[in-house]
Amino acid sequence: MEFNHHSEALETARRKCREALAGKTSVACMGDRLALNSFCLVKPIYDSIAAASTTQAEGIQAIGKHRPDILFTSDDLEQGYGIDLVKEAKLACAEIKALIFLRRETKEVVDEALDAGADGVIFVSSVGSGNGDFIQSLLTTLKGGIYYPADVRELARDTKQPNDAPVIDCQLTERELEVLNAIVGGLSNKEISESLFVSSETVKSNVSTIISKLGVRVRTQAAVFAIRHRIVG
């Protein structure tokens, strides 16, 4: 893939990245030292970085110390496992947004990342291809949405036939399905409110009801459930 670092599209991406991370703090943890250093030296990201490391233990220590807004990690680390770091980070800092770059493109790894609570999942191979948009993942997760591009969602879907899907105790209403579809699409409550022309409080109530009906704890888990069991498109 040819990479034009002077392209207008890249300049726009830098601007959006700078705006998204303004006033935010981040921690980066990646096993590839060249990738980690290159990533952290990008000016908009550099300004937000509180700590950078190559091991799971160092990553969780940095998160406990700095309480960052977002964690950038890869699945491969020098010691430990990036997906386990995401899981630990969510336990240590409930409000943190976790964006993980996966080198291995298998259903098993995708399932692990979703179960760990990753807010954004991107395959390394798709970065810059239009299928794994780093800037869009950043904008989406920082405003409260989730970012699971089409290739990630496809691997996450259950291979069972639709008739084998779990029975939901209380079926979702048409409006709740609309809200769930919007959650899977990465929309925040505010954006759902604006797209459906209802109040934010109504959306908040709908989200709470969806979470309860699906038997999950948070909206990210509701999205994962919906993708796996093909409840939404």
Side-chain angles (χ1 to χ4, degrees):
M1 181 185 75
E2 184 180 1
F3 182 77
N4 180 4
H5 64 289
H6 291 304
S7 69
E8 184 178 341
L10 195 56
E11 287 300 326
T12 299
R14 290 192 187 99
R15 176 181 56 78
K16 289 184 176 180
C17 184
R18 183 171 57 252
E19 292 172 352
L21 289 172
K24 306 289 186 183
T25 57
S26 64
V27 163
C29 189
M30 300 174 187
D32 183 329
R33 294 191 177 208
L34 176 60
L36 178 64
N37 279 276
S38 301
F39 181 82
C40 292
L41 286 174
V42 175
K43 188 63 166 66
I45 297 173
Y46 175 86
D47 291 339
S48 77
I49 292 286
S53 61
T54 59
T55 72
Q56 181 181 337
E58 292 167 333
I60 197 62
Q61 183 178 22
I63 288 167
K65 178 180 179 180
H66 298 287
R67 313 292 290 182
D69 298 289
I70 188 165
L71 164 68
F72 300 111
T73 189
S74 59
D75 54 334
D76 59 318
L77 301 177
E78 284 190 345
Q79 294 178 16
Y81 189 32
I83 291 175
D84 287 339
L85 174 59
V86 169
K87 192 182 302 182
E88 278 194 279
K90 289 289 184 174
L91 291 174
C93 186
E95 298 303 314
I96 194 172
K97 303 302 179 184
L99 175 58
I100 189 165
F101 302 93
L102 300 180
R103 291 192 179 278
R104 292 181 293 157
E105 302 181 16
T106 67
K107 177 173 176 54
E108 290 72 23
V109 173
V110 167
D111 283 343
E112 285 180 352
L114 298 185
D115 288 338
D119 301 279
V121 179
I122 299 178
F123 292 137
V124 171
S125 66
S126 70
V127 174
S129 69
N131 295 319
D133 190 327
F134 169 71
I135 298 301
Q136 190 58 46
S137 71
L138 189 62
L139 296 174
T140 299
T141 55
L142 284 177
K143 65 179 172 52
I146 60 166
Y147 186 80
Y148 304 150
D151 49 359
V152 170
R153 293 199 304 271
E154 189 56 40
L155 276 180
R157 288 195 172 97
D158 201 321
T159 55
K160 296 178 181 178
Q161 295 299 316
N163 291 338
D164 295 326
V167 176
I168 303 172
D169 289 338
C170 301
Q171 293 301 311
L172 300 178
T173 65
E174 184 176 345
R175 174 47 56 87
E176 288 163 358
L177 284 171
E178 288 180 317
V179 172
L180 183 56
N181 194 66
I183 292 173
V184 171
L187 272 63
S188 65
N189 280 5
K190 182 176 183 294
E191 290 170 328
I192 297 173
S193 169
E194 292 171 350
S195 66
L196 297 181
F197 303 102
V198 295
S199 70
S200 294
E201 285 303 312
T202 297
V203 173
K204 186 176 180 180
S205 176
N206 285 331
V207 172
S208 295
T209 301
I210 291 167
I211 288 172
S212 176
K213 286 185 177 182
L214 297 184
V216 296
R217 293 184 294 106
V218 294
R219 63 189 288 136
T220 305
Q221 292 176 343
V224 172
F225 187 100
I227 292 168
R228 281 183 175 155
H229 303 299
R230 304 173 187 267
I231 295 176
V232 298

